[in-house]
Amino acid sequence: MNTTYVIVLTYIRPLEEIDRYIADHVQWLNQGYEAGVFLASGRRVPRVGGVILAHGESIEDLQLRLSRDPFQQHGLASCEIIPFEASKCVNILQGIL
């Protein structure tokens, strides 16, 4: 069974600074999707950060990938990685999680 990761980003700088790097962050996200690592992502509500659902990499590889996020490189967000192994899921996610 693959380990799945919930990555919680919390902004530590004002939204004006975050917005300057959104396009770069989205480009970085797209690379994660193309590599088959990211499953879903989006903004937290209220807009205090974001969440990424990832799988398939070791935590070390995932940490390396996250270090390339413009939000991390520019000190804009803290990052928490929560690994879990899904013991139950809906049918559409079987074989993915």
Side-chain angles (χ1 to χ4, degrees), residues 85-97:
E85 291 182 357
S87 56
K88 192 170 181 97
C89 63
V90 295
N91 289 341
I92 196 166
L93 294 177
Q94 288 183 2
I96 297 173
L97 298 183

